[in-house]
Amino acid sequence: MWDLLNVIGTIAFALSGVLVAMEERYDLMGVYILGFITAFGGGAVRNLLIGVPVSALWDQGTLFTVAFIVMTIAFVFPKILRWTLLHRGVFFDAIGLGAFSVQGAMYAYSMGHPLSACIAAAALTGTGGGMIRDVLAGRKPLFLQKEIYIAWTLIPGLFIGLGWLTGTIEVLLIVVVIVALRLCSVYYGWQLPSRSIEEEHQEPYEKSALTE
């Protein structure tokens, strides 16, 4: 299960990075850099958080090879990925979010960390790579946009951190749920409540201006 989530998340986020790089008209080297950062950036941030040596990242030689092959195919045959460009590659990003958030929570839980660490590991593993990708591409990070994004990582962090998910089928199911919820939040425009301090002070300001 651990290896499966690793492969799914790596492929999905690598393709997400390729799509963003191609939209920004980056050259081949830019595609590789953005793809690798998207695929492995979240894991590096997670390792720093939960006390795993960053050098452990270099032990994933097979995943680096898989990511390289996938990105090369996507660059050479971009038409096969054209259908995923809706909402700037949200499809692949949602798959990476689901797989890596669950994997991050499992990683922290297996090390005996408390619930708070499992939730944080799920959030950072699921969104860290995409955040770095968007910053390097000069875009507003997806997890800061109006559709619900990072909040979905609380689900695997909570359920796994409390020890409620242990079976393979249960883990796969929660990945599917996270992917579906992320896609639905984009399609239906689900949003968390938000407020603006400027709007709250605008009306009193206008009244005082009128009295003057």
Side-chain angles (χ1 to χ4, degrees):
M1 176 53 58
W2 177 266
D3 293 334
L4 178 62
L5 292 177
N6 249 336
V7 172
I8 293 174
T10 298
I11 293 176
F13 269 153
L15 290 176
S16 175
V18 169
L19 291 174
V20 172
M22 293 175 68
E23 284 185 341
E24 299 294 333
R25 299 183 179 274
Y26 288 1
D27 61 13
L28 179 60
M29 187 56 63
V31 168
Y32 284 137
I33 291 175
L34 212 59
F36 277 120
I37 286 177
T38 309
F40 299 99
V45 175
R46 176 205 62 211
N47 289 353
L48 285 173
L49 175 72
I50 63 178
V52 177
V54 181
S55 58
L57 187 67
W58 306 116
D59 297 332
Q60 307 180 71
T62 302
L63 290 179
F64 277 101
T65 303
V66 170
F68 177 80
I69 294 173
V70 168
M71 289 187 291
T72 302
I73 294 175
F75 183 83
V76 175
F77 304 104
K79 290 185 178 180
I80 64 177
L81 301 176
R82 183 175 295 174
W83 64 280
T84 66
L85 290 177
L86 181 64
H87 296 297
R88 293 192 173 185
V90 166
F91 177 71
F92 287 132
D93 199 84
I95 295 176
L97 177 71
F100 272 172
S101 61
V102 172
Q103 189 235 36
M106 290 174 60
Y107 202 168
Y109 183 76
S110 67
M111 295 182 65
H113 289 304
L115 175 62
S116 57
C118 294
I119 294 176
L124 290 176
T125 310
T127 64
M131 175 182 62
I132 300 172
R133 173 204 63 205
D134 292 337
V135 170
L136 290 179
R139 295 184 171 188
K140 180 180 179 181
L142 275 178
F143 80 96
L144 294 178
Q145 295 187 24
K146 58 184 180 180
E147 296 93 0
I148 302 175
Y149 186 76
I150 195 172
W152 296 129
T153 64
L154 297 176
I155 298 175
L158 181 64
F159 278 59
I160 293 174
L162 292 174
W164 294 349
L165 296 178
T166 55
T168 301
I169 301 300
E170 295 173 334
V171 172
L172 286 177
L173 180 61
I174 200 68
V175 172
V176 173
V177 168
I178 299 303
V179 174
L181 288 173
R182 171 56 186 159
L183 294 176
C184 287
S185 67
V186 175
Y187 185 81
Y188 294 106
W190 294 346
Q191 302 178 26
L192 294 173
S194 62
R195 301 187 68 177
S196 173
I197 192 170
E198 294 181 358
E199 294 178 356
E200 295 179 2
H201 290 279
Q202 184 176 8
E203 186 176 350
Y205 176 79
E206 291 177 349
K207 288 182 179 181
S208 62
L210 289 175
T211 55
E212 294 177 358

